[in-house]
Amino acid sequence: MNKKINFILNSELIEIEINPSTVLLDFIRSLKFTGTKEGCKEGDCGACTVLAGELIEDEVIYRSVNSCLIPVMNISGKHVVTIEGLNQENKELNPIQQAFVDCGASQCGFCTPGFIVSLTGHFLNKGKSNHNSVIDSMDGNICRCTGHNSIIRAAEIVSEKKKKKNSSM
Ligand code: FES
Ligand code: FES
């Protein structure tokens, strides 16, 4: 039986009646947000990663999730951010995307949105960021063609820039 569900997808309020067990990935892609990719559909590749933001004690806390494993029901009342939602204001590349370009960290591009969303989730988090935590934030993401070295380098560049910015504040 269908249920009413409300949530925010990027900057848009979604109010729908839907089978609550519909997979979030399928729903997102049906709205033409096809930057979120369908890879394994078993939680193993990270191609479908999105951010899910939840209001906790007056603050929205974002974490990266595999949208292929989540029923739409579970994101009711949350803010879901796809790769399309990361830089829609000015259309310019954000620092993570720019680092991927500079390091040649994207080849066919299939895995790239997932990596960038996972890293965004990490850098949005107020917890301490260091080399290991940056690498750990991508441990659910797999790249089948570029290899992980250039991706790690791109992530390190963003991490170093963020550290410099924080220390100058
Ligand atoms: Fe592979 Fe979701 S499609 S983890
Ligand atoms: Fe092709 Fe990663 S760039 S799978």
Side-chain angles (χ1 to χ4, degrees), residues 137-158:
S137 72
M138 302 183 286
D139 66 3
N141 296 86
I142 293 171
C143 174
R144 294 173 204 278
C145 52
T146 302
H148 288 116
N149 285 348
S150 49
I151 294 172
I152 290 171
R153 184 65 203 131
E156 284 172 342
I157 286 174
V158 179

Side-chain angles (χ1 to χ4, degrees), residues 37-48 66 68:
K37 302 300 183 198
E38 180 182 328
C40 63
K41 231 178 176 189
E42 291 182 346
D44 288 332
C45 74
C48 65
N66 290 329
C68 71

Side-chain angles (χ1 to χ4, degrees), residues 18-54:
I18 190 170
N19 180 335
S21 62
T22 303
V23 174
L24 178 60
L25 172 63
D26 294 339
F27 181 68
I28 289 170
R29 288 183 58 85
S30 76
L31 297 181
K32 308 294 178 217
F33 289 109
T34 51
T36 305
K37 302 300 183 198
E38 180 182 328
C40 63
K41 231 178 176 189
E42 291 182 346
D44 288 332
C45 74
C48 65
T49 307
V50 298
L51 295 178
E54 190 172 1

